[in-house]
Amino acid sequence: YTPNCFQILGVDVLLDSSLQPWLLEVNARPSMDISNPLRLSDAPPGTRRCVCRDMDGEEHCHVHSEVDVRVKRLVVDGALRMAAGNGEPSEVPESFVKMNFDRYSPSEAQETLSAVARIFQEAGGSRKAFTTSGVRRTLANAVNAGLPAHELDTLVTKWKHQGYRQDIHSEDDNAEIGVLDFASLLQEIALVRSKDEEPLDALVSLIELCDPGA
């Protein structure tokens, strides 16, 4: 990957009564909204009612979240500064902390994601990995082992219309930032293939069967 490409991840963390953080999930496409819905009855006088379907149609408005404005401004500004400096800006952006991920390597998660990246590239990268032809080609071993091809096609087509590849200009997109989305697609395929396995075990089993680097 070129050093001026980046992807912003959303990390959901729960703090317990001892302020111990617990990781809940990592989002590949976090919301960049800076406003939250608020019941109109709780809003300041004169606030205009919003007609969107947030809050299940209850009368509401949207107000800026000072936390979202502060955090997301720092994240986007810092990411763009990092990209402009080819990954090595003259100074670390405000509130950014440079981490040495080699301290945590190798790890099972890293090895799994590396295998997903190899399958992603084998399927055609950002241009072809979310097409039925690309996925069929790279998961041929799974199809030969009994994964119904029509179910595979259905999942890929569904993903194209709701996931990373829904943009109408996707064929012109050269950015290789779809690996996490592709991992989610593989997870759905793995659960169809191995209905009785735990989700992670099903994914690992599919990867071991189809990893071109194995």
Side-chain angles (χ1 to χ4, degrees), residues 55-71:
M55 301 187 74
D56 295 325
E58 184 176 349
E59 285 198 336
H60 69 280
C61 62
H62 289 264
V63 296
H64 276 182
S65 164
E66 293 184 8
V67 173
D68 278 340
V69 171
R70 169 66 175 169
V71 171

Side-chain angles (χ1 to χ4, degrees), residues 188-206:
E188 292 190 32
I189 294 171
L191 291 175
V192 168
R193 174 177 175 269
S194 307
K195 294 181 173 65
D196 297 328
E197 287 191 71
E198 291 294 319
L200 182 57
D201 293 338
L203 177 61
V204 170
S205 175
L206 177 65

Side-chain angles (χ1 to χ4, degrees), residues 41-173:
S41 59
D42 298 329
T47 302
R48 295 182 59 182
R49 180 174 69 89
C50 180
V51 297
C52 76
R53 297 299 299 172
D54 281 359
M55 301 187 74
D56 295 325
E58 184 176 349
E59 285 198 336
H60 69 280
C61 62
H62 289 264
V63 296
H64 276 182
S65 164
E66 293 184 8
V67 173
D68 278 340
V69 171
R70 169 66 175 169
V71 171
K72 292 174 181 177
R73 178 178 291 164
L74 285 173
V75 168
V76 173
D77 178 73
L80 292 175
R81 289 178 185 273
M82 294 286 289
N86 286 326
E88 294 292 339
S90 57
E91 59 183 37
V92 177
E94 181 185 358
S95 298
F96 276 47
V97 177
K98 189 171 184 177
M99 297 183 64
N100 178 13
F101 286 98
D102 291 339
R103 293 176 52 193
Y104 309 99
S105 301
S107 70
E108 183 177 348
Q110 183 180 20
E111 292 172 356
T112 300
L113 189 57
S114 294
V116 170
R118 288 193 293 270
I119 298 174
F120 176 75
Q121 295 297 338
E122 182 72 13
S126 61
R127 290 180 177 271
K128 297 293 183 182
F130 295 88
T131 64
T132 53
S133 60
V135 175
R136 272 202 186 202
R137 182 178 65 255
T138 196
L139 300 187
N141 287 346
V143 174
N144 293 337
L147 173 64
H150 70 277
E151 292 194 36
L152 179 64
D153 292 347
T154 298
L155 286 173
V156 175
T157 301
K158 172 186 171 185
W159 192 262
K160 284 173 64 177
H161 291 287
Q162 72 178 23
Y164 175 74
R165 296 289 86 192
Q166 66 182 348
D167 188 274
I168 59 173
H169 302 297
S170 60
E171 293 303 316
D172 298 325
D173 180 10

